[in-house]
Amino acid sequence: EPIQHGNQEEIDRTWSSILVILGIQAVGIVTLGIASTSSFIGFFDVPPNLRSDAVFLFIGMVFNTAIGLPLRAAPGIFLCQDRLYLSMLIQGVMPWVNLLAFWLMLVAGQGIRSFVISSAVVTASQFLCQRWLLQSDGHRLTFRPQLVSVNSVRPILGFSSAMMLWSVAPAAIASI
């Protein structure tokens, strides 16, 4: 609604609140990921000669997930701007970026670590595309943490936390 009415302060408040919430959740993911690394590796009884790669993959994907979390706000903005097709376009191109980066890393001799590196390339590419597309519109999205308040965070945090748990549950169940 603030985007449709051009209320820049409310746009910035909502955008900042979303980024703060997703940032808090990203810190939680990293904290849980780092704390559970040895248990995770131990659970799968990874042989000693593969542990460094397993730790690299696990920690790398934890950080990649955490860094990518704030990127999930952009499709909502595109939807509000009647530009959701841009999000679909980015999602259609990213598998090709991933494949190219993965192949280049394999050729460079990175082995299994190519998976994490190519995923990081995709995350960075998504960030750059979304940032450019969001800035190319007439509405400026500015991160202004001073506008964030408990009242602006509460409804978003409840919804966002529920969505995060909903998205993690199938992965947790599938890994058992």
Coordinates of all heavy atoms in Angstrom, one line a residue, residues 74-167:
A74 N 12.6 -9.1 -2.1 CA 12.5 -8.5 -3.4 C 11.2 -9.0 -4.2 O 10.5 -8.1 -4.8 CB 13.7 -8.6 -4.2
P75 N 10.9 -10.3 -4.3 CA 9.7 -10.7 -5.0 C 8.5 -10.0 -4.5 O 7.5 -9.7 -5.3 CB 9.7 -12.2 -4.8 CG 11.1 -12.6 -4.7 CD 11.7 -11.4 -3.9
G76 N 8.4 -9.8 -3.2 CA 7.2 -9.1 -2.6 C 7.1 -7.7 -3.1 O 6.0 -7.2 -3.4
I77 N 8.2 -7.0 -3.2 CA 8.2 -5.7 -3.8 C 7.8 -5.7 -5.2 O 7.0 -4.9 -5.7 CB 9.6 -5.0 -3.6 CG1 10.0 -4.9 -2.1 CG2 9.7 -3.6 -4.2 CD1 9.0 -4.1 -1.2
F78 N 8.4 -6.6 -6.0 CA 8.0 -6.7 -7.4 C 6.5 -7.0 -7.6 O 5.9 -6.4 -8.5 CB 8.8 -7.8 -8.1 CG 10.3 -7.6 -8.3 CD1 11.2 -8.6 -8.1 CD2 10.7 -6.3 -8.5 CE1 12.5 -8.4 -8.3 CE2 12.1 -6.1 -8.7 CZ 13.0 -7.1 -8.5
L79 N 5.9 -7.8 -6.7 CA 4.5 -8.1 -6.7 C 3.7 -6.8 -6.5 O 2.8 -6.5 -7.2 CB 4.1 -9.1 -5.6 CG 2.7 -9.5 -5.5 CD1 2.2 -10.1 -6.8 CD2 2.4 -10.4 -4.4
C80 N 4.1 -6.0 -5.5 CA 3.5 -4.7 -5.2 C 3.6 -3.8 -6.3 O 2.7 -2.9 -6.5 CB 4.0 -4.1 -3.9 SG 3.7 -5.0 -2.4
Q81 N 4.6 -3.9 -7.1 CA 4.8 -3.0 -8.2 C 4.3 -3.5 -9.5 O 4.5 -2.9 -10.6 CB 6.3 -2.7 -8.4 CG 7.0 -2.0 -7.3 CD 8.5 -1.9 -7.4 OE1 9.1 -2.8 -8.1 NE2 9.1 -0.9 -6.8
D82 N 3.5 -4.6 -9.5 CA 3.0 -5.3 -10.7 C 4.2 -5.7 -11.6 O 4.0 -5.5 -12.8 CB 2.0 -4.4 -11.4 CG 0.7 -4.3 -10.6 OD1 0.4 -5.3 -9.9 OD2 0.0 -3.3 -10.7
R83 N 5.3 -6.1 -11.0 CA 6.5 -6.5 -11.8 C 6.9 -7.9 -11.3 O 8.1 -8.2 -11.4 CB 7.6 -5.5 -11.7 CG 7.2 -4.1 -12.1 CD 8.4 -3.1 -12.2 NE 9.3 -3.2 -11.0 CZ 10.6 -2.8 -11.1 NH1 11.0 -2.3 -12.2 NH2 11.4 -2.8 -10.1
L84 N 6.0 -8.7 -10.9 CA 6.4 -10.1 -10.4 C 7.1 -10.9 -11.5 O 7.9 -11.7 -11.3 CB 5.2 -10.8 -9.9 CG 5.5 -12.2 -9.2 CD1 6.4 -12.0 -8.0 CD2 4.2 -12.9 -8.8
Y85 N 6.8 -10.6 -12.8 CA 7.5 -11.3 -13.9 C 9.0 -11.2 -13.8 O 9.7 -12.0 -14.3 CB 7.0 -10.8 -15.3 CG 7.3 -9.3 -15.5 CD1 8.5 -8.9 -16.1 CD2 6.4 -8.3 -15.1 CE1 8.8 -7.6 -16.3 CE2 6.7 -7.0 -15.3 CZ 7.9 -6.6 -15.9 OH 8.1 -5.3 -16.1
L86 N 9.5 -10.1 -13.2 CA 10.9 -9.9 -13.1 C 11.5 -11.0 -12.1 O 12.6 -11.5 -12.4 CB 11.3 -8.5 -12.5 CG 10.9 -7.4 -13.5 CD1 11.2 -6.0 -12.8 CD2 11.7 -7.5 -14.7
S87 N 10.8 -11.3 -11.1 CA 11.2 -12.3 -10.2 C 11.3 -13.7 -10.9 O 12.2 -14.5 -10.7 CB 10.3 -12.4 -9.0 OG 10.8 -13.3 -8.0
M88 N 10.2 -13.9 -11.7 CA 10.2 -15.2 -12.4 C 11.3 -15.3 -13.5 O 11.9 -16.3 -13.7 CB 8.9 -15.3 -13.2 CG 7.7 -15.3 -12.2 SD 7.8 -16.6 -11.0 CE 6.4 -16.2 -10.0
L89 N 11.6 -14.1 -14.1 CA 12.7 -14.1 -15.0 C 14.1 -14.4 -14.3 O 14.9 -15.2 -14.8 CB 12.8 -12.7 -15.7 CG 13.9 -12.5 -16.7 CD1 13.7 -13.4 -17.9 CD2 13.9 -11.0 -17.2
I90 N 14.3 -13.8 -13.2 CA 15.5 -14.1 -12.4 C 15.6 -15.5 -12.0 O 16.6 -16.2 -12.2 CB 15.6 -13.2 -11.2 CG1 15.8 -11.7 -11.6 CG2 16.7 -13.6 -10.2 CD1 15.6 -10.7 -10.4
Q91 N 14.5 -16.1 -11.6 CA 14.5 -17.5 -11.2 C 14.7 -18.4 -12.4 O 15.3 -19.5 -12.3 CB 13.1 -17.9 -10.6 CG 12.9 -17.3 -9.2 CD 11.6 -17.7 -8.6 OE1 10.8 -18.4 -9.2 NE2 11.3 -17.2 -7.4
G92 N 14.3 -18.0 -13.6 CA 14.6 -18.8 -14.8 C 16.0 -18.7 -15.3 O 16.5 -19.7 -15.8
V93 N 16.7 -17.6 -15.0 CA 18.1 -17.5 -15.5 C 19.1 -18.1 -14.5 O 20.1 -18.6 -14.9 CB 18.4 -16.0 -15.7 CG1 19.9 -15.7 -15.9 CG2 17.6 -15.4 -16.8
M94 N 18.8 -18.1 -13.2 CA 19.7 -18.5 -12.2 C 20.2 -19.9 -12.3 O 21.4 -20.2 -12.0 CB 19.2 -18.2 -10.8 CG 19.2 -16.7 -10.4 SD 20.8 -15.9 -10.6 CE 20.4 -14.5 -11.6
P95 N 19.4 -20.9 -12.7 CA 19.9 -22.2 -12.8 C 21.0 -22.3 -13.9 O 22.0 -23.1 -13.7 CB 18.7 -23.1 -13.3 CG 17.5 -22.3 -12.7 CD 17.9 -20.9 -12.8
W96 N 20.9 -21.5 -14.9 CA 22.0 -21.4 -15.9 C 23.3 -20.8 -15.4 O 24.4 -21.2 -15.7 CB 21.5 -20.7 -17.2 CG 20.4 -21.5 -17.8 CD1 19.1 -21.2 -17.8 CD2 20.5 -22.7 -18.6 NE1 18.4 -22.1 -18.5 CE2 19.2 -23.0 -19.0 CE3 21.6 -23.4 -19.0 CZ2 19.0 -24.2 -19.8 CZ3 21.4 -24.6 -19.8 CH2 20.1 -24.9 -20.1
V97 N 23.1 -19.8 -14.6 CA 24.2 -19.2 -13.9 C 24.9 -20.2 -13.0 O 26.1 -20.3 -12.9 CB 23.8 -17.9 -13.1 CG1 24.9 -17.4 -12.2 CG2 23.3 -16.8 -14.0
N98 N 24.1 -20.9 -12.2 CA 24.6 -22.0 -11.3 C 25.4 -23.0 -12.1 O 26.5 -23.4 -11.7 CB 23.4 -22.6 -10.6 CG 23.9 -23.4 -9.4 OD1 25.0 -23.6 -9.1 ND2 22.9 -23.8 -8.6
L99 N 24.8 -23.5 -13.2 CA 25.5 -24.5 -14.0 C 26.8 -24.0 -14.5 O 27.8 -24.7 -14.5 CB 24.5 -25.0 -15.1 CG 25.1 -26.1 -16.1 CD1 25.3 -27.3 -15.3 CD2 24.1 -26.3 -17.2
L100 N 26.8 -22.8 -15.1 CA 28.0 -22.2 -15.6 C 29.1 -22.1 -14.5 O 30.3 -22.5 -14.7 CB 27.8 -20.9 -16.3 CG 29.0 -20.2 -16.8 CD1 29.7 -21.0 -17.9 CD2 28.6 -18.8 -17.3
A101 N 28.7 -21.5 -13.4 CA 29.7 -21.4 -12.3 C 30.2 -22.7 -11.8 O 31.3 -22.9 -11.5 CB 29.0 -20.6 -11.1
F102 N 29.3 -23.7 -11.7 CA 29.6 -25.0 -11.2 C 30.7 -25.7 -12.2 O 31.7 -26.2 -11.7 CB 28.4 -25.9 -11.1 CG 28.7 -27.3 -10.5 CD1 29.0 -27.4 -9.1 CD2 28.6 -28.4 -11.2 CE1 29.2 -28.6 -8.5 CE2 28.9 -29.6 -10.7 CZ 29.1 -29.8 -9.3
W103 N 30.4 -25.6 -13.4 CA 31.3 -26.1 -14.5 C 32.6 -25.4 -14.4 O 33.7 -26.1 -14.4 CB 30.7 -26.0 -15.8 CG 31.5 -26.5 -16.9 CD1 31.7 -27.8 -17.2 CD2 32.3 -25.8 -17.8 NE1 32.6 -27.9 -18.3 CE2 33.0 -26.7 -18.6 CE3 32.6 -24.4 -18.0 CZ2 33.9 -26.2 -19.6 CZ3 33.4 -24.0 -19.0 CH2 34.1 -24.9 -19.8
L104 N 32.6 -24.1 -14.3 CA 33.9 -23.4 -14.2 C 34.7 -23.8 -13.0 O 36.0 -23.9 -13.1 CB 33.7 -21.9 -14.2 CG 33.2 -21.3 -15.6 CD1 32.8 -19.8 -15.4 CD2 34.2 -21.4 -16.7
M105 N 34.1 -23.9 -11.9 CA 34.8 -24.3 -10.7 C 35.3 -25.8 -10.8 O 36.4 -26.1 -10.3 CB 33.9 -24.2 -9.4 CG 33.5 -22.7 -9.1 SD 35.0 -21.8 -8.7 CE 35.2 -20.8 -10.2
L106 N 34.5 -26.7 -11.4 CA 35.0 -28.0 -11.6 C 36.2 -28.0 -12.5 O 37.2 -28.7 -12.2 CB 33.9 -28.9 -12.2 CG 32.8 -29.4 -11.3 CD1 31.8 -30.2 -12.1 CD2 33.4 -30.2 -10.1
V107 N 36.2 -27.2 -13.6 CA 37.3 -27.1 -14.5 C 38.5 -26.6 -13.7 O 39.7 -26.9 -14.0 CB 37.0 -26.3 -15.7 CG1 38.2 -25.9 -16.5 CG2 35.9 -27.0 -16.6
A108 N 38.3 -25.6 -12.8 CA 39.4 -25.0 -12.0 C 39.9 -26.0 -10.9 O 40.8 -25.6 -10.2 CB 38.9 -23.7 -11.4
G109 N 39.3 -27.2 -10.8 CA 39.8 -28.1 -9.9 C 39.3 -28.0 -8.5 O 39.9 -28.5 -7.5
Q110 N 38.1 -27.4 -8.3 CA 37.6 -27.2 -7.0 C 36.8 -28.4 -6.4 O 36.5 -28.5 -5.3 CB 36.7 -26.0 -6.9 CG 37.4 -24.7 -7.1 CD 38.4 -24.4 -6.0 OE1 38.1 -24.6 -4.8 NE2 39.6 -24.1 -6.4
G111 N 36.6 -29.4 -7.3 CA 35.9 -30.6 -6.8 C 34.5 -30.4 -6.2 O 33.8 -29.5 -6.7
I112 N 34.2 -31.1 -5.1 CA 32.9 -31.0 -4.5 C 32.7 -29.6 -4.0 O 31.5 -29.2 -3.8 CB 32.8 -32.0 -3.4 CG1 31.4 -32.2 -2.9 CG2 33.7 -31.7 -2.2 CD1 30.4 -32.8 -3.9
R113 N 33.7 -28.8 -3.7 CA 33.5 -27.5 -3.2 C 32.9 -26.5 -4.2 O 32.4 -25.5 -3.9 CB 34.9 -26.9 -2.7 CG 35.4 -27.7 -1.5 CD 36.7 -27.2 -1.0 NE 37.2 -28.0 0.1 CZ 37.6 -27.4 1.2 NH1 37.8 -26.1 1.3 NH2 38.0 -28.2 2.3
S114 N 32.9 -27.0 -5.5 CA 32.3 -26.2 -6.5 C 30.8 -26.0 -6.3 O 30.2 -24.9 -6.7 CB 32.4 -27.0 -7.9 OG 33.7 -27.2 -8.2
F115 N 30.2 -26.9 -5.5 CA 28.8 -26.7 -5.2 C 28.5 -25.5 -4.4 O 27.6 -24.7 -4.7 CB 28.3 -28.0 -4.5 CG 26.8 -27.9 -4.1 CD1 25.8 -28.1 -5.1 CD2 26.4 -27.7 -2.8 CE1 24.5 -28.0 -4.8 CE2 25.1 -27.6 -2.5 CZ 24.1 -27.8 -3.5
V116 N 29.3 -25.3 -3.4 CA 29.1 -24.1 -2.5 C 29.5 -22.8 -3.3 O 28.7 -21.8 -3.2 CB 30.0 -24.2 -1.2 CG1 29.9 -22.9 -0.4 CG2 29.5 -25.4 -0.4
I117 N 30.5 -22.9 -4.0 CA 31.0 -21.7 -4.7 C 30.0 -21.3 -5.8 O 29.6 -20.1 -5.9 CB 32.4 -21.9 -5.4 CG1 33.4 -22.2 -4.3 CG2 32.8 -20.8 -6.3 CD1 34.7 -22.7 -4.8
S118 N 29.4 -22.2 -6.5 CA 28.4 -21.9 -7.5 C 27.1 -21.4 -6.9 O 26.5 -20.5 -7.4 CB 28.1 -23.1 -8.4 OG 27.6 -24.2 -7.7
S119 N 26.8 -21.9 -5.7 CA 25.6 -21.4 -5.0 C 25.8 -20.0 -4.6 O 24.9 -19.1 -4.6 CB 25.3 -22.3 -3.8 OG 24.9 -23.6 -4.2
A120 N 27.0 -19.7 -4.1 CA 27.4 -18.3 -3.7 C 27.3 -17.3 -4.9 O 26.9 -16.2 -4.8 CB 28.7 -18.2 -3.1
V121 N 27.8 -17.8 -6.1 CA 27.7 -17.0 -7.3 C 26.2 -16.7 -7.6 O 25.9 -15.6 -8.0 CB 28.4 -17.7 -8.5 CG1 28.1 -17.0 -9.8 CG2 29.9 -17.7 -8.2
V122 N 25.4 -17.7 -7.5 CA 24.0 -17.5 -7.8 C 23.4 -16.4 -6.8 O 22.6 -15.5 -7.2 CB 23.2 -18.8 -7.7 CG1 21.7 -18.6 -7.6 CG2 23.5 -19.7 -8.9
T123 N 23.7 -16.6 -5.5 CA 23.2 -15.6 -4.5 C 23.7 -14.2 -4.9 O 22.9 -13.3 -4.8 CB 23.7 -16.0 -3.1 OG1 23.2 -17.3 -2.8 CG2 23.2 -15.0 -2.1
A124 N 25.0 -14.1 -5.2 CA 25.5 -12.7 -5.6 C 24.8 -12.2 -6.8 O 24.5 -11.0 -6.9 CB 27.0 -12.8 -5.8
S125 N 24.6 -13.1 -7.8 CA 23.9 -12.7 -9.1 C 22.5 -12.2 -8.8 O 22.0 -11.2 -9.4 CB 24.0 -13.8 -10.1 OG 25.3 -14.2 -10.4
Q126 N 21.8 -13.0 -8.0 CA 20.4 -12.6 -7.6 C 20.4 -11.2 -6.9 O 19.6 -10.4 -7.3 CB 19.8 -13.6 -6.7 CG 19.3 -14.8 -7.3 CD 18.6 -15.7 -6.3 OE1 19.3 -16.2 -5.4 NE2 17.4 -16.1 -6.5
F127 N 21.3 -11.0 -6.0 CA 21.4 -9.7 -5.3 C 21.6 -8.6 -6.3 O 20.9 -7.6 -6.2 CB 22.5 -9.8 -4.3 CG 22.8 -8.4 -3.7 CD1 22.0 -7.9 -2.7 CD2 23.9 -7.7 -4.1 CE1 22.2 -6.6 -2.2 CE2 24.2 -6.4 -3.6 CZ 23.3 -5.9 -2.6
L128 N 22.6 -8.8 -7.2 CA 22.9 -7.7 -8.1 C 21.7 -7.4 -9.1 O 21.4 -6.3 -9.3 CB 24.1 -8.0 -8.9 CG 25.4 -8.1 -8.1 CD1 26.6 -8.6 -9.0 CD2 25.8 -6.7 -7.6
C129 N 21.1 -8.5 -9.6 CA 19.9 -8.3 -10.5 C 18.8 -7.6 -9.7 O 18.2 -6.7 -10.3 CB 19.4 -9.7 -11.0 SG 20.5 -10.4 -12.2
Q130 N 18.4 -8.1 -8.5 CA 17.3 -7.6 -7.8 C 17.6 -6.1 -7.4 O 16.7 -5.3 -7.5 CB 17.0 -8.4 -6.6 CG 16.4 -9.7 -6.9 CD 16.2 -10.6 -5.7 OE1 16.7 -10.3 -4.6 NE2 15.5 -11.7 -5.9
R131 N 18.8 -5.8 -7.0 CA 19.2 -4.5 -6.6 C 19.0 -3.5 -7.8 O 18.4 -2.4 -7.7 CB 20.6 -4.4 -6.1 CG 21.0 -3.0 -5.6 CD 22.4 -3.1 -5.0 NE 22.9 -1.7 -4.9 CZ 23.0 -1.1 -3.7 NH1 22.6 -1.8 -2.6 NH2 23.5 0.1 -3.6
W132 N 19.5 -3.9 -8.9 CA 19.4 -3.1 -10.1 C 18.0 -2.9 -10.5 O 17.6 -1.8 -10.8 CB 20.2 -3.7 -11.3 CG 20.2 -2.9 -12.5 CD1 20.7 -1.7 -12.8 CD2 19.4 -3.3 -13.7 NE1 20.4 -1.3 -14.0 CE2 19.6 -2.2 -14.6 CE3 18.6 -4.3 -14.0 CZ2 19.0 -2.2 -15.9 CZ3 18.0 -4.4 -15.3 CH2 18.2 -3.3 -16.2
L133 N 17.2 -3.9 -10.5 CA 15.8 -3.8 -10.9 C 15.0 -3.0 -9.9 O 14.1 -2.2 -10.3 CB 15.2 -5.2 -11.1 CG 15.7 -6.0 -12.3 CD1 15.2 -7.5 -12.2 CD2 15.2 -5.4 -13.6
L134 N 15.3 -3.2 -8.6 CA 14.6 -2.4 -7.6 C 14.9 -0.9 -7.7 O 14.1 0.0 -7.5 CB 14.9 -2.9 -6.2 CG 14.2 -4.2 -5.8 CD1 14.7 -4.7 -4.5 CD2 12.7 -4.1 -5.8
Q135 N 16.2 -0.6 -8.0 CA 16.6 0.8 -8.2 C 16.2 1.4 -9.5 O 16.1 2.7 -9.6 CB 18.1 0.9 -8.0 CG 18.5 0.7 -6.6 CD 20.0 0.9 -6.4 OE1 20.8 0.8 -7.3 NE2 20.4 1.0 -5.1
S136 N 15.8 0.6 -10.5 CA 15.4 1.1 -11.8 C 14.0 1.6 -11.8 O 13.5 2.3 -12.7 CB 15.6 0.1 -12.9 OG 14.7 -1.0 -12.7
D137 N 13.2 1.3 -10.7 CA 11.9 1.8 -10.6 C 11.9 3.2 -10.0 O 12.8 3.6 -9.4 CB 11.1 0.8 -9.7 CG 9.6 1.2 -9.7 OD1 9.0 1.4 -10.8 OD2 9.0 1.3 -8.6
G138 N 10.7 3.9 -10.1 CA 10.6 5.2 -9.5 C 10.7 5.3 -8.0 O 10.9 6.3 -7.4
H139 N 10.4 4.2 -7.3 CA 10.4 4.2 -5.9 C 11.8 3.8 -5.4 O 12.3 2.7 -5.8 CB 9.4 3.2 -5.3 CG 8.0 3.5 -5.8 ND1 7.3 2.9 -6.8 CD2 7.1 4.4 -5.3 CE1 6.1 3.4 -7.0 NE2 6.0 4.3 -6.1
R140 N 12.3 4.5 -4.5 CA 13.6 4.2 -3.9 C 13.4 3.5 -2.6 O 12.6 3.9 -1.7 CB 14.4 5.5 -3.6 CG 14.7 6.4 -4.8 CD 15.4 5.7 -5.9 NE 16.8 5.8 -5.7 CZ 17.8 5.2 -6.4 NH1 17.4 4.4 -7.3 NH2 19.0 5.4 -6.1
L141 N 14.0 2.3 -2.5 CA 14.0 1.6 -1.2 C 15.3 1.9 -0.5 O 16.3 1.5 -0.9 CB 13.9 0.1 -1.5 CG 12.6 -0.3 -2.3 CD1 12.7 -1.8 -2.7 CD2 11.4 -0.1 -1.5
T142 N 15.1 2.5 0.6 CA 16.3 2.9 1.4 C 16.2 2.2 2.8 O 15.2 2.3 3.5 CB 16.3 4.5 1.6 OG1 16.2 5.1 0.3 CG2 17.6 4.9 2.3
F143 N 17.3 1.6 3.2 CA 17.4 1.0 4.5 C 17.7 2.1 5.5 O 18.7 2.7 5.5 CB 18.6 0.0 4.5 CG 18.7 -0.7 5.8 CD1 17.7 -1.5 6.3 CD2 19.8 -0.6 6.6 CE1 17.8 -2.2 7.5 CE2 20.0 -1.2 7.8 CZ 19.0 -2.0 8.3
R144 N 16.7 2.3 6.3 CA 16.8 3.3 7.4 C 16.4 2.7 8.7 O 15.2 2.7 9.1 CB 15.8 4.5 7.0 CG 16.3 5.2 5.8 CD 15.3 6.3 5.3 NE 14.8 7.2 6.3 CZ 13.8 8.0 6.1 NH1 13.1 8.0 5.0 NH2 13.4 8.8 7.1
P145 N 17.3 2.1 9.4 CA 17.0 1.4 10.6 C 16.4 2.2 11.7 O 15.7 1.7 12.6 CB 18.4 0.8 11.1 CG 19.4 1.5 10.3 CD 18.8 2.1 9.1
Q146 N 16.6 3.5 11.7 CA 16.0 4.4 12.7 C 14.5 4.4 12.6 O 13.8 4.8 13.6 CB 16.6 5.8 12.6 CG 16.2 6.6 11.4 CD 17.1 6.4 10.2 OE1 17.9 5.4 10.2 NE2 17.1 7.3 9.3
L147 N 13.9 4.0 11.5 CA 12.4 3.9 11.3 C 11.8 2.7 11.9 O 10.6 2.6 12.0 CB 12.1 4.1 9.9 CG 12.4 5.4 9.2 CD1 12.0 5.4 7.7 CD2 11.7 6.6 9.9
V148 N 12.7 1.7 12.2 CA 12.2 0.4 12.6 C 11.7 0.5 14.1 O 12.4 1.0 14.9 CB 13.3 -0.7 12.5 CG1 12.8 -2.0 13.0 CG2 13.7 -0.8 11.1
S149 N 10.5 0.0 14.4 CA 10.0 0.0 15.7 C 9.3 -1.4 16.0 O 9.1 -2.2 15.1 CB 8.9 1.1 15.9 OG 7.8 0.8 15.1
V150 N 9.0 -1.6 17.2 CA 8.4 -2.9 17.6 C 7.0 -3.0 16.9 O 6.7 -4.1 16.4 CB 8.1 -2.9 19.1 CG1 7.3 -4.1 19.5 CG2 9.5 -2.9 19.9
N151 N 6.3 -1.9 16.7 CA 5.0 -2.0 16.0 C 5.2 -2.3 14.5 O 4.3 -2.9 14.0 CB 4.3 -0.7 16.2 CG 3.8 -0.5 17.6 OD1 3.6 -1.4 18.4 ND2 3.6 0.8 18.0
S152 N 6.3 -1.9 13.9 CA 6.5 -2.2 12.5 C 7.0 -3.6 12.3 O 6.8 -4.1 11.2 CB 7.4 -1.1 11.9 OG 8.7 -1.2 12.4
V153 N 7.6 -4.1 13.3 CA 8.3 -5.4 13.2 C 7.3 -6.6 13.6 O 7.4 -7.6 12.9 CB 9.6 -5.5 14.1 CG1 10.1 -6.9 14.2 CG2 10.6 -4.5 13.5
R154 N 6.5 -6.4 14.6 CA 5.7 -7.5 15.1 C 4.9 -8.2 14.0 O 5.0 -9.5 14.0 CB 4.8 -6.9 16.2 CG 4.0 -8.1 16.9 CD 3.2 -7.6 18.1 NE 4.0 -7.0 19.1 CZ 3.9 -5.9 19.7 NH1 2.9 -5.1 19.3 NH2 4.7 -5.5 20.6
P155 N 4.1 -7.6 13.2 CA 3.3 -8.4 12.2 C 4.2 -9.1 11.2 O 3.9 -10.2 10.8 CB 2.4 -7.4 11.6 CG 2.9 -6.0 11.9 CD 3.8 -6.2 13.1
I156 N 5.2 -8.4 10.8 CA 6.1 -9.0 9.7 C 6.9 -10.2 10.3 O 7.1 -11.2 9.7 CB 7.1 -7.9 9.2 CG1 6.2 -6.8 8.6 CG2 8.0 -8.5 8.1 CD1 7.1 -5.6 8.2
L157 N 7.4 -10.0 11.6 CA 8.2 -11.1 12.2 C 7.3 -12.3 12.4 O 7.8 -13.4 12.1 CB 8.7 -10.6 13.5 CG 9.6 -11.6 14.3 CD1 10.8 -11.9 13.5 CD2 10.0 -11.0 15.6
G158 N 6.1 -12.2 12.8 CA 5.2 -13.3 13.0 C 5.0 -14.1 11.7 O 5.2 -15.3 11.7
F159 N 4.7 -13.4 10.6 CA 4.5 -14.0 9.3 C 5.8 -14.6 8.8 O 5.9 -15.8 8.4 CB 4.0 -13.0 8.3 CG 3.8 -13.6 6.9 CD1 2.8 -14.4 6.6 CD2 4.8 -13.2 6.0 CE1 2.7 -14.9 5.4 CE2 4.6 -13.8 4.7 CZ 3.6 -14.6 4.4
S160 N 6.9 -13.9 8.9 CA 8.2 -14.3 8.3 C 8.7 -15.5 9.1 O 9.2 -16.4 8.5 CB 9.2 -13.1 8.4 OG 10.4 -13.5 7.8
S161 N 8.6 -15.5 10.4 CA 9.1 -16.6 11.2 C 8.3 -17.9 10.9 O 8.8 -19.0 10.8 CB 9.0 -16.3 12.7 OG 9.8 -15.3 13.0
A162 N 7.0 -17.7 10.8 CA 6.1 -18.9 10.4 C 6.6 -19.5 9.0 O 6.6 -20.7 8.8 CB 4.7 -18.5 10.4
M163 N 6.8 -18.6 8.1 CA 7.2 -19.0 6.8 C 8.6 -19.7 6.8 O 8.8 -20.7 6.1 CB 7.3 -17.8 5.8 CG 5.9 -17.3 5.5 SD 4.7 -18.5 4.9 CE 5.4 -18.9 3.3
M164 N 9.5 -19.2 7.6 CA 10.8 -19.8 7.7 C 10.7 -21.2 8.3 O 11.3 -22.1 7.8 CB 11.8 -19.0 8.6 CG 13.2 -19.5 8.7 SD 14.2 -18.7 9.8 CE 13.7 -19.4 11.4
L165 N 9.9 -21.4 9.4 CA 9.7 -22.7 10.0 C 9.0 -23.6 9.0 O 9.4 -24.8 8.9 CB 8.9 -22.6 11.3 CG 9.7 -21.9 12.4 CD1 8.7 -21.7 13.6 CD2 10.9 -22.7 12.8
W166 N 8.1 -23.1 8.2 CA 7.4 -23.9 7.3 C 8.3 -24.4 6.1 O 8.2 -25.5 5.7 CB 6.2 -23.1 6.7 CG 5.3 -23.8 5.8 CD1 5.3 -23.8 4.4 CD2 4.3 -24.8 6.2 NE1 4.3 -24.6 3.9 CE2 3.7 -25.2 5.0 CE3 3.9 -25.2 7.4 CZ2 2.7 -26.2 5.0 CZ3 2.8 -26.1 7.4 CH2 2.2 -26.6 6.2
S167 N 9.3 -23.5 5.8 CA 10.2 -23.9 4.7 C 11.3 -24.9 5.2 O 11.8 -25.7 4.5 CB 10.8 -22.7 4.0 OG 11.7 -22.0 4.9

